[in-house]
C-alpha cells in the first residue's frame, strides 16, 4: 500500500533506494533486491494506466518557423528551422536580448526569402510581456515586429519541450556539430561566417527525418511564404545623428562613414548583431553598414567617397619672380624643387636666380637635360647643374644594377686548325 501511494504521488519518479527507508519503518523486512523488483513492478502498472501518448507533428508548407536560443562556452546561438522543409538557420550573438532576437529573426526571414504564417518560440523573457491564465502576452516590440512582417507570434506550452522538440534538436545538433568541433572562433564575425557555411552544408544534405534535401524543399515552400516587406524593421538601439562635413556620423565615440550625398542630413543609426546600420530617415533605406569599432577609432569605406583616398600631394606654388620663372620650365623644375626640399637643401631659394641664369645661357634643351640628370642622380645644388652643363651631352649614363650590358665586339680574321699542325701531322 505504501509503495503504491508513493509511486502515484510522485508520478512513478521516486526510486526504490529513497523509498526503502520508509518501507523499513513500516515493517518491511525483505531484501533490497526484492524491494526494487516490487517498486519497478508498481511503476510499470502506474505507467500502464497513466501513459502520456504523443502523436507526431504534421507540418504544412509555409505554416511554422520554430526558433530557440542555446549557449555554449559563453557564446549564444540562435537557431531557427522551417518546420516543413527543415531548412535550418544558425547564427551567433553576444546576448539574448529582445533587440538581438528580433534582429536574428529578421536576418533569418531574409535568408529564407519569405515570411511563414506563424513563428513558434519558447516562452522567452525577451519576447513575452506577461502570462495570464497560462496564455502568453507578447511584448509590444515583438507585436510591432510581427505586424511589420505579417506573421502571427505563437508560444509553446509551459514545461513542454516536446512542443518545440524540432528546435531543441537543432540547438543540440548545432552545439555538437558546429560549436564544439570548431570552437574557439576568432570573434563573432568569424563565428557567424562558420555558421553560415555550416547551414549551407547541412541544408544541402539529405535530412534523415524527411529523406529529402531541405534546400530543394525550400524552393517549393517559398512559393507559399508571404513576401518580405519592402522596408527592414527597426530593431535594436536606434538614435538620430547628423552627417558632418567629413561624411561621417559619430556613435559610441567612434566615426562611421556615410555616402557624401548625405552630408548635412539627419540619419538613423542602429546597432544590430555587432554591426552598425545607417538608415535614411523617411525611406528606411540602409545607406551604410559597418562593423562596430572601439571608441576613438573610425570605420571608413572607400565607396562612400568615390574611391580610395589619394596620396597626399604638396603642390608647388611659386610666389617670387625667381620662383615663377624657374617653375615655368615645367614638371622637371617642380621635381627639382621638391627633391631639393626633401634633401634639406636650405640654399635652394637664393640659388634659383643662378639656375635661371644658366637656363638663359645654355638654352632650354641643354638646361632641361641637365636638370633631369640632376634629379635622376639627386644633385640639388646650382653648382652641380653647372658641372653637368659643362660636361656636355657625352657623359656616361650608368644603368641600374641587373640590366644587361650589350657590347659590339670587333670582327677578327680566323685560321683553320690545320695551320697549327706540327711536322705535317694532323
Amino acid at each position: 500500500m505504501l509503495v503504491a501511494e508513493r509511486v502515484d504521488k510522485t508520478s512513478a519518479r521516486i526510486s526504490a533506494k529513497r523509498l526503502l527507508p520508509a518501507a523499513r519503518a513500516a515493517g518491511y523486512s525483505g531484501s533490497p533486491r526484492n524491494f526494487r523488483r516490487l517498486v519497478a513492478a508498481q511503476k510499470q502498472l502506474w505507467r500502464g494506466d497513466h501513459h502520456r501518448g504523443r502523436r507526431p507533428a504534421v507540418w504544412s508548407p509555409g505554416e511554422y518557423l520554430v526558433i530557440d536560443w542555446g549557449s555554449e562556452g559563453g557564446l549564444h546561438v540562435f537557431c531557427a528551422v522551417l518546420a516543413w522543409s527543415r531548412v535550418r538557420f544558425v547564427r551567433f550573438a553576444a546576448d539574448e536580448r529582445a533587440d538581438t532576437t528580433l534582429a536574428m529573426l529578421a536576418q533569418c526571414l531574409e535568408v529564407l526569402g519569405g515570411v511563414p504564417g506563424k513563428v513558434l518560440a519558447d516562452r522567452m523573457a525577451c519576447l513575452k510581456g506577461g502570462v495570464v491564465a497560462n496564455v502568453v502576452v507578447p511584448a509590444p516590440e515583438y507585436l510591432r515586429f510581427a505586424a511589420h512582417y505579417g506573421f502571427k507570434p505563437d508560444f509553446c506550452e509551459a514545461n513542454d519541450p516536446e512542443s518545440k522538440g524540432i528546435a531543441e534538436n537543432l540547438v543540440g545538433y548545432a552545439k555538437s556539430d558546429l560549436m564544439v568541433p570548431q570552437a574557439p572562433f576568432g570573434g563573432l564575425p568569424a563565428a557567424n561566417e562558420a555558421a553560415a557555411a555550416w547551414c549551407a552544408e547541412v541544408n544541402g544534405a539529405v535530412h534523415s527525418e524527411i529523406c529529402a534535401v531541405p534546400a530543394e524543399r525550400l524552393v517549393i515552400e517559398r512559393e507559399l511564404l508571404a513576401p518580405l516587406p519592402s522596408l527592414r524593421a527597426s530593431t535594436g538601439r536606434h538614435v538620430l545623428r547628423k552627417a558632418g562635413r567629413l561624411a561621417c556620423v559619430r556613435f559610441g565615440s567612434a566615426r562611421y562613414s556615410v555616402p557624401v550625398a548625405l552630408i548635412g542630413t539627419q540619419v538613423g543609426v542602429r546597432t544590430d548583431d555587432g554591426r552598425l546600420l545607417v538608415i535614411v530617415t523617411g525611406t528606411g533605406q540602409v545607406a551604410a553598414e559597418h562593423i562596430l569599432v572601439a571608441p576613438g577609432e573610425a570605420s571608413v569605406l572607400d565607396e562612400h567617397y568615390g574611391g580610395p583616398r589619394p596620396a597626399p600631394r604638396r603642390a608647388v606654388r611659386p610666389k617670387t619672380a625667381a620662383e615663377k620663372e624657374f617653375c615655368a620650365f615645367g614638371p622637371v623644375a617642380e621635381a627639382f624643387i621638391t627633391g631639393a626640399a626633401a634633401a634639406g637643401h636650405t640654399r635652394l631659394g637664393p640659388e634659383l636666380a643662378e639656375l635661371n641664369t644658366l637656363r638663359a645661357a645654355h638654352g632650354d634643351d641643354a638646361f632641361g637635360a641637365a636638370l633631369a640628370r640632376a634629379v635622376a642622380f639627386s644633385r640639388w645644388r646650382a653648382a652641380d647643374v653647372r658641372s653637368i652643363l659643362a660636361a656636355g651631352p657625352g657623359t656616361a649614363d650608368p644603368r641600374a644594377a641587373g640590366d644587361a650590358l650589350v657590347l659590339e665586339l670587333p670582327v677578327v680574321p680566323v685560321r683553320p686548325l690545320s695551320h697549327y699542325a706540327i711536322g705535317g701531322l694532323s
Side-chain angles (χ1 to χ4, degrees):
M1 189 65 180
L2 175 65
V3 174
E5 291 178 356
R6 293 295 182 89
V7 169
D8 183 67
K9 184 177 181 180
T10 60
S11 299
R13 285 193 289 266
I14 193 170
S15 65
K17 183 179 179 180
R18 294 190 59 184
L19 188 55
L20 181 58
R24 293 288 190 192
Y28 176 74
S29 58
S31 65
R33 175 176 293 182
N34 290 334
F35 186 74
R36 287 196 298 269
R37 291 173 179 171
L38 173 63
V39 173
Q42 187 61 39
K43 286 183 177 181
Q44 187 176 2
L45 291 175
W46 187 91
R47 292 192 183 103
D49 297 332
H50 301 83
H51 179 71
R52 179 189 174 190
R54 291 191 301 112
R55 60 178 297 172
V58 180
W59 308 103
S60 300
E63 182 183 11
Y64 268 104
L65 175 72
V66 190
I67 63 174
D68 199 7
W69 278 101
S71 61
E72 182 76 25
L75 197 61
H76 301 272
V77 57
F78 176 84
C79 300
V81 56
L82 205 53
W84 184 79
S85 62
R86 303 300 173 96
V87 172
R88 287 152 284 196
F89 175 86
V90 174
R91 291 296 186 273
F92 295 105
D95 53 67
E96 299 181 10
R97 297 184 304 179
D99 53 353
T100 306
T101 304
L102 297 182
M104 288 292 181
L105 183 54
Q107 187 178 356
C108 174
L109 296 177
E110 291 179 5
V111 171
L112 296 178
V115 183
K118 298 178 182 179
V119 174
L120 178 63
D122 197 2
R123 299 194 171 196
M124 306 177 184
C126 59
L127 297 183
K128 68 178 182 179
V131 179
V132 179
N134 199 37
V135 177
V136 179
V137 180
E141 185 178 0
Y142 186 35
L143 279 178
R144 288 193 295 268
F145 181 89
H148 179 80
Y149 279 94
F151 66 84
K152 179 181 178 182
D154 194 7
F155 294 89
C156 299
E157 290 290 334
N159 303 319
D160 186 26
E162 289 86 357
S163 59
K164 61 180 181 64
I166 188 173
E168 295 281 359
N169 291 336
L170 176 58
V171 172
Y173 184 33
K175 289 181 180 180
S176 62
D177 196 60
L178 173 62
M179 299 181 70
V180 174
Q182 300 189 27
F185 301 98
L188 201 57
N192 281 325
E193 290 180 4
W198 182 82
C199 289
E201 178 184 353
V202 298
N203 289 332
V206 176
H207 195 282
S208 60
E209 182 70 21
I210 61 176
C211 297
V213 179
E216 296 177 357
R217 291 181 57 136
L218 178 61
V219 178
I220 302 174
E221 188 169 9
R222 188 175 285 141
E223 298 179 358
L224 301 176
L225 298 177
L228 290 169
S230 58
L231 300 180
R232 183 180 299 187
S234 178
T235 60
R237 181 183 175 187
H238 191 278
V239 294
L240 295 178
R241 291 290 187 269
K242 184 177 180 180
R245 294 183 178 179
L246 298 178
C248 292
V249 294
R250 293 184 64 88
F251 181 83
S253 299
R255 292 183 185 273
Y256 300 90
S257 65
V258 299
V260 293
L262 297 179
I263 293 179
T265 62
Q266 197 172 46
V267 295
V269 176
R270 175 163 54 89
T271 56
D272 176 12
D273 187 25
R275 302 173 300 168
L276 181 134
L277 304 178
V278 180
I279 302 172
V280 179
T281 55
T283 64
Q285 180 183 3
V286 178
E289 182 175 337
H290 298 268
I291 300 297
L292 287 175
V293 297
E297 297 184 1
S299 177
V300 179
L301 303 180
D302 293 337
E303 56 265 24
H304 293 162
Y305 300 89
R309 180 184 180 183
R313 180 178 178 271
R314 307 294 180 256
V316 177
R317 296 185 179 90
K319 294 183 179 180
T320 65
E323 292 173 354
K324 292 179 180 179
E325 183 181 355
F326 183 76
C327 292
F329 191 71
V332 66
E334 296 183 1
F336 184 86
I337 290 178
T338 55
H345 182 26
T346 58
R347 296 286 301 167
L348 176 62
E351 288 185 355
L352 288 181
E354 183 178 353
L355 291 172
N356 291 331
T357 302
L358 292 174
R359 175 188 175 188
H362 293 272
D364 289 349
D365 295 339
F367 180 74
L371 205 60
R373 189 177 181 84
V375 172
F377 292 95
S378 301
R379 312 301 296 179
W380 309 116
R381 299 183 181 276
D384 298 330
V385 179
R386 187 185 303 110
S387 299
I388 295 173
L389 289 169
T395 55
D397 188 10
R399 297 180 180 272
D403 291 351
L405 181 61
V406 180
L407 298 177
E408 294 184 4
L409 299 177
V411 179
V412 298
V414 296
R415 293 184 296 176
L417 294 177
S418 60
H419 291 183
Y420 298 93
I422 300 176
L425 300 176
S426 58

